[in-house]
């Protein structure tokens, strides 16, 4: 269609141009009429810059497998298309969105090459400023994103160190005590062997020792009141039978599950003179077994923590594979248990019937870390006591992972900005504003899922929806693609 310099000069984008500049635009560009339907598609080579003269235009962004409408307008002069042509080969020259028209619509269409040349010739300073702004924000976002990951790693390392220190210290203490007890057992054995014990009596003592060790492994769990009553009974029995320091031995016997009937069996096996030595020997046996149980429990806890760390970091595992999200959630909660603390109750509402899903588990763990960290911060800001509920469920052909906290909620005036890069409600130095942005990119761009929030005071829910089946790997976008909440190239003035 004919291009009128007078008509395009009425558009706000060109209203300050000279007649010569308007003439050049008309000579290098064109006016084109589009019937209702698509104009261009996201991901295609960006060949043209479009400025609407009249009609109605709608922009879409691809989110997962769906096209989501991000803008609809009839305002004259709105623009879209090859908006980054002036950057040349420094960035991929593809359309960042899809554009459709809903009625016959006229556009002024300028080829990308002409748009790039005109920008650099007419507005050299502006082109340099825009180029610096574009790459500067990209570099800043990348650097702060790395800082965000380092902060998360530091927090996890501190929590893991704290969790590992407790069982490790317990194992060290138990080992030192065990060495002392074994030395005393050797001394007691030497005393018994040098005494007036015949072979039959020694055999009976060894049998009692073996049965005592078996009882320790099967010791019942007693309430504090029951344990106190049994300690009194055993203490009285030991005192009545001339056993010195019966008050010290009794708690150990109770912890091992021994009772008065068992002591009576021991007393019936040995004579009165050898009973104190036998009781001392059995006491060392019980203490040794209990200490070995403590060492076993401590080392198992350390092994469990190391396994959780490996599961969290996904060391030696394929980056993309089918995973059980519950294993990922459990490892993340365990890694963050030190940060969560005792004042926050963690409720796991899992649907264990859910199938495994194809995913990048290490990156999903980063999402869980960011969402749990935000929930803990919200609860702490409301007094430090509350509940964090992690729920999984199936919603159609997708898997839901929901993080619910009882914090103060997200105010409506900032709820629409929480996924924006660098936006944070945390105090200076406590947040970079990239945690939710990174999470959004991982869930939406990397996994073709969705991430949204519902919030009222006392009930904030971040909901992650992941597809149950794998997308075509050939069309999987990179994780650093532009996020959906920022449409990029939306036709606004």
């Amino acid at each position: 269609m004919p291009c009128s310099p007078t008509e395009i000069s009425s558009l706000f984008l060109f209203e300050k141009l000279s007649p010569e500049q308007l003439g050049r635009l008309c000579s290098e560009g064109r006016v084109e009429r589009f019937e209702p339907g698509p104009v261009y598609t996201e991901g295609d080579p960006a060949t043209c810059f479009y400025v609407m003269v009249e009609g109605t235009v709608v922009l879409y962004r691809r989110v997962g497998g769906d096209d989501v409408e991000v803008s609809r307008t009839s305002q004259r002069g709105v623009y879209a298309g090859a908006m980054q042509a002036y950057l040349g080969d420094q960035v991929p020259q593809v359309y960042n969105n899809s554009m459709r028209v809903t009625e016959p619509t006229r556009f002024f269409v300028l080829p990308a090459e002409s748009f790039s040349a005109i920008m650099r010739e007419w507005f050299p300073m502006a082109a340099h400023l825009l180029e610096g702004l574009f790459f500067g924000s990209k570099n800043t976002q990348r650097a702060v994103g790395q800082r965000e990951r380092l902060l998360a790693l530091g927090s996890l390392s501190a929590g893991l160190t704290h969790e590992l220190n407790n069982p490790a210290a317990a194992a060290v203490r138990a080992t030192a005590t065990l060495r002392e007890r074994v030395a005393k057992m050797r001394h007691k054995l030497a005393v018994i062997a040098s005494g007036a014990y015949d072979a039959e009596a020694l055999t009976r003592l060894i049998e009692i020792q073996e049965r005592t060790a078996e009882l320790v492994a099967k010791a019942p769990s007693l309430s504090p009141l029951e344990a106190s009553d049994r300690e009194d009974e055993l203490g009285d029995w030991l005192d009545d039978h001339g056993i010195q320091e019966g008050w010290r031995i009794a708690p150990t016997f109770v912890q091992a599950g021994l009772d008065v009937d068992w002591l009576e069996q021991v007393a019936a096996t040995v004579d009165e003179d050898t009973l104190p030595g036998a009781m001392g020997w059995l006491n060392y046996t019980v203490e040794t077994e209990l200490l070995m149980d403590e060492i076993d429990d401590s080392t198992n806890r350390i092994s469990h923590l190391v396994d959780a760390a490996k599961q969290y970091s996904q060391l030696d595992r394929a980056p993309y594979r089918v995973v059980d999200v519950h294993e990922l959630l459990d490892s993340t909660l365990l890694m963050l248990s030190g940060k969560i603390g005792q004042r926050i109750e963690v409720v796991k509402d899992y649907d264990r019937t859910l199938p495994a899903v194809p995913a990048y588990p290490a990156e999903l763990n980063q999402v869980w870390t960011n969402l749990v960290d935000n929930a803990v911060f919200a609860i702490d800001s409301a007094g430090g006591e509350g509940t964090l509920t992690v729920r999984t469920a199936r919603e159609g052909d997708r898997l839901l992972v929901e993080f619910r906290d009882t914090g103060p909620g997200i105010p409506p005036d900032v709820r629409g900005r929480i996924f924006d890069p660098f936006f944070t409600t945390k105090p200076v130095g406590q947040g970079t504003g990239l945690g939710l942005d990174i999470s959004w990119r991982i869930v939406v761009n990397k996994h073709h899922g969705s991430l949204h929030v519902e919030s009222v005071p006392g009930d904030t829910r971040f909901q992650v929806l992941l597809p149950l089946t794998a997308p075509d790997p050939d069309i999987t976008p990179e994780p650093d693609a532009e996020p959906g909440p920022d449409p990029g190239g939306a036709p606004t003035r």
Side-chain angles (χ1 to χ4, degrees):
M1 301 182 67
C3 175
S4 168
T6 302
E7 184 178 42
I8 65 171
S9 69
S10 65
L11 305 176
F12 64 82
L13 197 62
F14 306 132
E15 60 188 3
K16 300 297 184 180
L17 298 183
S18 67
E20 292 77 12
Q21 291 172 324
L22 293 171
R24 179 176 175 180
L25 288 177
C26 277
S27 65
E28 297 190 19
R30 65 185 184 274
V31 174
E32 190 170 347
R33 186 175 186 269
F34 288 83
E35 297 299 323
V39 177
Y40 63 75
T41 302
E42 181 177 351
D44 288 348
T47 58
C48 294
F49 177 68
Y50 296 85
V51 184
M52 190 179 73
V53 179
E54 62 177 355
T56 300
V57 65
V58 185
L59 288 188
Y60 298 87
R61 286 297 308 270
R62 177 63 58 90
V63 179
D66 303 320
D67 286 329
V68 178
E69 180 179 326
V70 295
S71 180
R72 179 186 293 260
T73 182
S74 298
Q75 180 184 358
R76 297 180 72 247
V78 295
Y79 51 89
M83 298 174 55
Q84 297 174 355
Y86 63 92
L87 296 174
D89 296 335
Q90 299 178 84
V91 297
Q93 292 296 332
V94 296
Y95 291 118
N96 292 326
N97 48 43
S98 298
M99 184 165 69
R100 299 174 61 89
V101 294
T102 58
E103 60 177 317
T105 301
R106 287 192 304 133
F107 289 96
F108 171 71
V109 183
L110 189 63
E113 296 82 359
S114 297
F115 175 62
S116 175
I118 287 173
M119 280 289 294
R120 293 192 170 277
E121 181 180 340
W122 291 356
F123 314 107
M125 183 176 178
H128 285 301
L129 289 173
L130 289 172
E131 182 176 344
L133 177 64
F134 179 84
F135 289 109
S137 65
K138 285 288 185 181
N139 293 335
T140 301
Q141 187 168 339
R142 186 178 300 109
V144 177
Q146 292 174 349
R147 174 65 175 171
E148 177 83 11
R149 291 179 174 88
L150 287 173
L151 288 174
L153 179 61
S155 177
L156 288 172
S157 299
L160 182 60
T161 302
H162 174 76
E163 293 297 317
L164 285 171
N165 181 66
N166 291 333
V172 170
R173 289 193 303 268
T175 302
T177 306
L178 178 61
R179 181 178 289 109
E180 177 186 345
R181 294 296 183 270
V182 170
K184 289 184 177 180
M185 279 189 68
R186 291 196 300 266
H187 175 72
K188 183 65 68 175
L189 181 60
V191 172
I192 292 175
S194 63
Y197 298 98
D198 56 29
E200 184 178 354
L202 286 175
T203 300
R204 289 196 301 268
L205 280 174
I206 292 174
E207 290 177 353
I208 292 172
Q209 183 186 39
E210 293 296 331
R211 283 184 287 163
T212 302
E214 293 176 1
L215 285 177
V216 174
K218 302 175 182 177
S221 178
L222 302 177
S223 68
L225 182 60
E226 291 173 332
S228 177
D229 291 341
R230 185 172 292 188
E231 286 177 14
D232 291 340
E233 294 175 6
L234 294 185
D236 293 341
W237 189 95
L238 293 169
D239 290 340
D240 292 341
H241 288 77
I243 309 300
Q244 295 182 0
E245 295 186 339
W247 57 271
R248 186 181 63 83
I249 299 176
T252 303
F253 283 176
V254 171
Q255 188 178 357
L258 306 184
D259 54 18
V260 171
D261 292 339
W262 177 254
L263 298 185
E264 290 288 354
Q265 295 180 36
V266 176
T269 305
V270 298
D271 56 46
E272 185 176 349
D273 293 336
T274 58
L275 181 61
M279 285 296 169
W281 192 30
L282 290 179
N283 177 55
Y284 291 141
T285 299
V286 170
E287 287 185 332
T288 300
E289 291 294 324
L290 292 175
L291 288 168
M292 287 191 293
D293 287 344
E294 183 177 349
I295 293 172
D296 181 67
D297 178 67
S298 298
T299 52
N300 281 335
R301 286 179 60 194
I302 293 172
S303 177
H304 184 55
L305 286 166
V306 172
D307 286 342
K310 289 181 64 178
Q311 167 76 338
Y312 180 85
S313 62
Q314 295 295 305
L315 290 175
D316 303 325
R317 303 189 183 188
Y320 185 78
R321 59 189 178 88
V322 176
V323 294
D324 182 353
V325 295
H326 303 108
E327 294 180 359
L328 306 183
L329 291 168
D330 286 341
S331 66
T332 301
L333 290 172
L334 180 58
M335 293 289 288
L336 293 173
S337 58
K339 188 167 190 175
I340 294 173
Q342 300 296 322
R343 301 177 67 189
I344 298 177
E345 179 186 4
V346 178
V347 178
K348 299 179 182 179
D349 183 10
Y350 292 167
D351 181 357
R352 294 287 186 177
T353 65
L354 292 171
V357 297
Y360 294 88
E363 298 190 30
L364 282 184
N365 280 337
Q366 187 177 2
V367 175
W368 311 150
T369 299
N370 291 335
L371 297 182
V372 170
D373 182 73
N374 285 345
V376 171
F377 177 82
I379 295 174
D380 286 342
S381 66
E385 294 186 355
T387 302
L388 168 62
T389 303
V390 183
R391 183 171 71 94
T392 62
R394 182 168 185 160
E395 289 198 0
D397 60 348
R398 296 191 292 178
L399 184 148
L400 168 69
V401 181
E402 179 182 82
F403 296 83
R404 177 185 179 187
D405 69 72
T406 55
I410 304 173
D413 58 329
V414 303
R415 199 173 303 158
R417 301 178 58 197
I418 60 174
F419 295 107
D420 291 350
F422 307 110
F423 177 81
T424 181
T425 58
K426 295 180 181 179
V428 175
Q430 295 189 26
T432 60
L434 282 180
L436 289 178
D437 171 58
I438 292 172
S439 300
W440 200 98
R441 293 170 185 267
I442 292 173
V443 172
V444 177
N445 293 338
K446 191 89 173 189
H447 290 85
H448 301 277
S450 64
L451 171 60
H452 61 277
V453 61
E454 299 175 359
S455 182
V456 295
D459 186 1
T460 297
R461 306 183 185 197
F462 281 88
Q463 296 178 330
V464 177
L465 286 165
L466 300 172
L468 294 174
T469 56
D472 184 350
D474 294 335
I475 60 173
T476 300
E478 292 300 317
D480 59 350
E482 288 299 317
D486 178 13
T492 56
R493 183 171 181 175

